[in-house]
Structure formats: structure tokens, C-alpha cells
Amino acid sequence: MFGVNIFDYDWQTTGKRVKVKDPIYHQDHTFEVWQVEIDGQIHRFAAGEFSNCVWGFYLEKNG
């Protein structure tokens, strides 16, 4: 994501949360919105675990 391994960066919480739906089991989840600084730019994304080691990542849609 963003051309890097996102797990190598320090995730900072934005204090916001979004509701997402598990794409396989269609269960509702609430994921936290995070931000990371990569090469001087702030990137925001929602992320969380649907189940053990099954992560979901969501980027903000522009436009």
C-alpha cells in the first residue's frame, strides 16, 4: 500500500472510525482510520482484522 510495507511504519490514530462490510462473510465491522507519514506525505486509510490475520484495508475515495 502506498508503494511500501505499511507494517514498517508507525500508525497514528486519527480518532475516526468507519463501518465496513466483510467482503466474504458480509458481516459489519468498525475499523479505525489511521495515518502514516511516508517520505514527508501523510496518508490516511482504514484498517482492521476481519478475523485472525485476515486484514482489510480501505483507502478514501476521491471524487
mmCIF file of all heavy atoms in Angstrom, residues 31-52:
data_model
loop_
_atom_site.group_PDB
_atom_site.id
_atom_site.type_symbol
_atom_site.label_atom_id
_atom_site.label_comp_id
_atom_site.label_asym_id
_atom_site.label_seq_id
_atom_site.Cartn_x
_atom_site.Cartn_y
_atom_site.Cartn_z
ATOM 1 N N PHE A 31 -13.818 -0.218 11.602
ATOM 2 C CA PHE A 31 -12.362 -0.114 11.523
ATOM 3 C C PHE A 31 -11.945 1.307 11.876
ATOM 4 O O PHE A 31 -12.626 2.276 11.549
ATOM 5 C CB PHE A 31 -11.866 -0.419 10.114
ATOM 6 C CG PHE A 31 -11.841 -1.877 9.750
ATOM 7 C CD1 PHE A 31 -12.231 -2.869 10.630
ATOM 8 C CD2 PHE A 31 -11.409 -2.258 8.503
ATOM 9 C CE1 PHE A 31 -12.192 -4.203 10.278
ATOM 10 C CE2 PHE A 31 -11.353 -3.593 8.132
ATOM 11 C CZ PHE A 31 -11.741 -4.563 9.019
ATOM 12 N N GLU A 32 -10.806 1.403 12.497
ATOM 13 C CA GLU A 32 -10.237 2.708 12.825
ATOM 14 C C GLU A 32 -9.569 3.310 11.595
ATOM 15 O O GLU A 32 -9.048 2.593 10.742
ATOM 16 C CB GLU A 32 -9.209 2.546 13.945
ATOM 17 C CG GLU A 32 -8.769 3.855 14.523
ATOM 18 C CD GLU A 32 -8.468 3.758 16.008
ATOM 19 O OE1 GLU A 32 -8.578 2.675 16.586
ATOM 20 O OE2 GLU A 32 -8.115 4.801 16.564
ATOM 21 N N VAL A 33 -9.585 4.646 11.520
ATOM 22 C CA VAL A 33 -8.892 5.360 10.447
ATOM 23 C C VAL A 33 -7.522 5.772 10.987
ATOM 24 O O VAL A 33 -7.413 6.389 12.047
ATOM 25 C CB VAL A 33 -9.690 6.591 9.973
ATOM 26 C CG1 VAL A 33 -8.912 7.355 8.900
ATOM 27 C CG2 VAL A 33 -11.059 6.166 9.446
ATOM 28 N N TRP A 34 -6.499 5.405 10.256
ATOM 29 C CA TRP A 34 -5.109 5.628 10.644
ATOM 30 C C TRP A 34 -4.428 6.582 9.670
ATOM 31 O O TRP A 34 -4.904 6.797 8.571
ATOM 32 C CB TRP A 34 -4.351 4.302 10.622
ATOM 33 C CG TRP A 34 -4.935 3.260 11.511
ATOM 34 C CD1 TRP A 34 -5.862 2.315 11.172
ATOM 35 C CD2 TRP A 34 -4.665 3.066 12.884
ATOM 36 N NE1 TRP A 34 -6.161 1.544 12.254
ATOM 37 C CE2 TRP A 34 -5.441 1.989 13.327
ATOM 38 C CE3 TRP A 34 -3.823 3.707 13.798
ATOM 39 C CZ2 TRP A 34 -5.404 1.525 14.632
ATOM 40 C CZ3 TRP A 34 -3.789 3.241 15.098
ATOM 41 C CH2 TRP A 34 -4.575 2.161 15.505
ATOM 42 N N GLN A 35 -3.282 7.090 10.092
ATOM 43 C CA GLN A 35 -2.457 7.853 9.171
ATOM 44 C C GLN A 35 -1.002 7.503 9.414
ATOM 45 O O GLN A 35 -0.607 7.151 10.519
ATOM 46 C CB GLN A 35 -2.693 9.351 9.294
ATOM 47 C CG GLN A 35 -2.260 9.974 10.596
ATOM 48 C CD GLN A 35 -2.579 11.456 10.628
ATOM 49 O OE1 GLN A 35 -3.535 11.913 10.008
ATOM 50 N NE2 GLN A 35 -1.788 12.213 11.349
ATOM 51 N N VAL A 36 -0.237 7.563 8.335
ATOM 52 C CA VAL A 36 1.202 7.328 8.397
ATOM 53 C C VAL A 36 1.887 8.412 7.577
ATOM 54 O O VAL A 36 1.302 8.957 6.641
ATOM 55 C CB VAL A 36 1.612 5.941 7.850
ATOM 56 C CG1 VAL A 36 1.071 4.825 8.694
ATOM 57 C CG2 VAL A 36 1.191 5.768 6.407
ATOM 58 N N GLU A 37 3.114 8.713 7.946
ATOM 59 C CA GLU A 37 3.915 9.642 7.157
ATOM 60 C C GLU A 37 4.925 8.834 6.373
ATOM 61 O O GLU A 37 5.715 8.068 6.945
ATOM 62 C CB GLU A 37 4.625 10.651 8.051
ATOM 63 C CG GLU A 37 5.397 11.681 7.254
ATOM 64 C CD GLU A 37 6.032 12.762 8.119
ATOM 65 O OE1 GLU A 37 5.592 12.955 9.259
ATOM 66 O OE2 GLU A 37 6.974 13.405 7.620
ATOM 67 N N ILE A 38 4.893 8.989 5.050
ATOM 68 C CA ILE A 38 5.811 8.290 4.160
ATOM 69 C C ILE A 38 6.468 9.328 3.267
ATOM 70 O O ILE A 38 5.779 10.036 2.530
ATOM 71 C CB ILE A 38 5.070 7.243 3.306
ATOM 72 C CG1 ILE A 38 4.369 6.220 4.201
ATOM 73 C CG2 ILE A 38 6.026 6.563 2.334
ATOM 74 C CD1 ILE A 38 3.403 5.311 3.476
ATOM 75 N N ASP A 39 7.775 9.438 3.365
ATOM 76 C CA ASP A 39 8.534 10.418 2.571
ATOM 77 C C ASP A 39 7.946 11.822 2.685
ATOM 78 O O ASP A 39 7.809 12.534 1.690
ATOM 79 C CB ASP A 39 8.601 9.982 1.106
ATOM 80 C CG ASP A 39 9.364 8.680 0.922
ATOM 81 O OD1 ASP A 39 10.308 8.426 1.703
ATOM 82 O OD2 ASP A 39 9.020 7.915 0.001
ATOM 83 N N GLY A 40 7.565 12.208 3.902
ATOM 84 C CA GLY A 40 7.068 13.554 4.151
ATOM 85 C C GLY A 40 5.605 13.777 3.809
ATOM 86 O O GLY A 40 5.096 14.870 4.003
ATOM 87 N N GLN A 41 4.912 12.759 3.310
ATOM 88 C CA GLN A 41 3.491 12.898 2.975
ATOM 89 C C GLN A 41 2.650 12.085 3.940
ATOM 90 O O GLN A 41 3.007 10.958 4.304
ATOM 91 C CB GLN A 41 3.199 12.414 1.556
ATOM 92 C CG GLN A 41 3.647 13.351 0.477
ATOM 93 C CD GLN A 41 3.070 12.911 -0.854
ATOM 94 O OE1 GLN A 41 3.245 11.767 -1.260
ATOM 95 N NE2 GLN A 41 2.379 13.807 -1.523
ATOM 96 N N ILE A 42 1.518 12.658 4.345
ATOM 97 C CA ILE A 42 0.576 11.968 5.220
ATOM 98 C C ILE A 42 -0.398 11.168 4.359
ATOM 99 O O ILE A 42 -0.972 11.699 3.407
ATOM 100 C CB ILE A 42 -0.200 12.970 6.106
ATOM 101 C CG1 ILE A 42 0.763 13.751 6.999
ATOM 102 C CG2 ILE A 42 -1.269 12.249 6.922
ATOM 103 C CD1 ILE A 42 1.497 12.908 8.021
ATOM 104 N N HIS A 43 -0.563 9.906 4.690
ATOM 105 C CA HIS A 43 -1.517 9.025 4.002
ATOM 106 C C HIS A 43 -2.498 8.493 5.046
ATOM 107 O O HIS A 43 -2.079 8.059 6.119
ATOM 108 C CB HIS A 43 -0.796 7.852 3.341
ATOM 109 C CG HIS A 43 0.163 8.257 2.280
ATOM 110 N ND1 HIS A 43 -0.231 8.509 0.991
ATOM 111 C CD2 HIS A 43 1.502 8.463 2.317
ATOM 112 C CE1 HIS A 43 0.825 8.837 0.268
ATOM 113 N NE2 HIS A 43 1.883 8.816 1.056
ATOM 114 N N ARG A 44 -3.793 8.510 4.712
ATOM 115 C CA ARG A 44 -4.819 8.018 5.625
ATOM 116 C C ARG A 44 -5.493 6.786 5.037
ATOM 117 O O ARG A 44 -5.687 6.696 3.833
ATOM 118 C CB ARG A 44 -5.850 9.103 5.897
ATOM 119 C CG ARG A 44 -5.288 10.222 6.746
ATOM 120 C CD ARG A 44 -6.332 11.279 7.069
ATOM 121 N NE ARG A 44 -5.727 12.370 7.780
ATOM 122 C CZ ARG A 44 -5.096 13.397 7.225
ATOM 123 N NH1 ARG A 44 -5.008 13.485 5.916
ATOM 124 N NH2 ARG A 44 -4.558 14.344 7.945
ATOM 125 N N PHE A 45 -5.868 5.878 5.916
ATOM 126 C CA PHE A 45 -6.524 4.643 5.496
ATOM 127 C C PHE A 45 -7.271 4.045 6.682
ATOM 128 O O PHE A 45 -6.955 4.326 7.835
ATOM 129 C CB PHE A 45 -5.490 3.637 4.974
ATOM 130 C CG PHE A 45 -4.431 3.270 5.988
ATOM 131 C CD1 PHE A 45 -4.565 2.132 6.763
ATOM 132 C CD2 PHE A 45 -3.305 4.062 6.161
ATOM 133 C CE1 PHE A 45 -3.605 1.794 7.705
ATOM 134 C CE2 PHE A 45 -2.334 3.737 7.099
ATOM 135 C CZ PHE A 45 -2.480 2.603 7.876
ATOM 136 N N ALA A 46 -8.260 3.248 6.393
ATOM 137 C CA ALA A 46 -8.948 2.479 7.426
ATOM 138 C C ALA A 46 -8.406 1.061 7.363
ATOM 139 O O ALA A 46 -8.158 0.527 6.278
ATOM 140 C CB ALA A 46 -10.445 2.483 7.192
ATOM 141 N N ALA A 47 -8.198 0.459 8.517
ATOM 142 C CA ALA A 47 -7.668 -0.902 8.546
ATOM 143 C C ALA A 47 -8.129 -1.619 9.800
ATOM 144 O O ALA A 47 -8.377 -1.006 10.834
ATOM 145 C CB ALA A 47 -6.138 -0.879 8.500
ATOM 146 N N GLY A 48 -8.230 -2.930 9.665
ATOM 147 C CA GLY A 48 -8.565 -3.770 10.809
ATOM 148 C C GLY A 48 -8.566 -5.223 10.392
ATOM 149 O O GLY A 48 -8.403 -5.551 9.221
ATOM 150 N N GLU A 49 -8.742 -6.087 11.386
ATOM 151 C CA GLU A 49 -8.763 -7.518 11.126
ATOM 152 C C GLU A 49 -10.204 -8.015 11.047
ATOM 153 O O GLU A 49 -10.994 -7.790 11.950
ATOM 154 C CB GLU A 49 -8.033 -8.272 12.233
ATOM 155 C CG GLU A 49 -6.533 -8.229 12.110
ATOM 156 C CD GLU A 49 -5.866 -9.113 13.138
ATOM 157 O OE1 GLU A 49 -5.886 -8.736 14.320
ATOM 158 O OE2 GLU A 49 -5.329 -10.156 12.756
ATOM 159 N N PHE A 50 -10.518 -8.685 9.956
ATOM 160 C CA PHE A 50 -11.819 -9.345 9.840
ATOM 161 C C PHE A 50 -11.830 -10.584 10.718
ATOM 162 O O PHE A 50 -12.829 -10.911 11.344
ATOM 163 C CB PHE A 50 -12.111 -9.731 8.389
ATOM 164 C CG PHE A 50 -12.420 -8.561 7.504
ATOM 165 C CD1 PHE A 50 -11.624 -8.264 6.422
ATOM 166 C CD2 PHE A 50 -13.519 -7.749 7.749
ATOM 167 C CE1 PHE A 50 -11.917 -7.192 5.598
ATOM 168 C CE2 PHE A 50 -13.810 -6.675 6.944
ATOM 169 C CZ PHE A 50 -13.013 -6.394 5.856
ATOM 170 N N SER A 51 -10.737 -11.306 10.730
ATOM 171 C CA SER A 51 -10.528 -12.456 11.603
ATOM 172 C C SER A 51 -9.026 -12.585 11.803
ATOM 173 O O SER A 51 -8.256 -11.797 11.254
ATOM 174 C CB SER A 51 -11.144 -13.729 11.000
ATOM 175 O OG SER A 51 -10.540 -14.040 9.767
ATOM 176 N N ASN A 52 -8.601 -13.563 12.561
ATOM 177 C CA ASN A 52 -7.196 -13.698 12.911
ATOM 178 C C ASN A 52 -6.301 -13.683 11.669
ATOM 179 O O ASN A 52 -6.375 -14.577 10.830
ATOM 180 C CB ASN A 52 -6.989 -14.981 13.710
ATOM 181 C CG ASN A 52 -5.608 -15.057 14.321
ATOM 182 O OD1 ASN A 52 -5.017 -14.042 14.654
ATOM 183 N ND2 ASN A 52 -5.093 -16.259 14.460
#
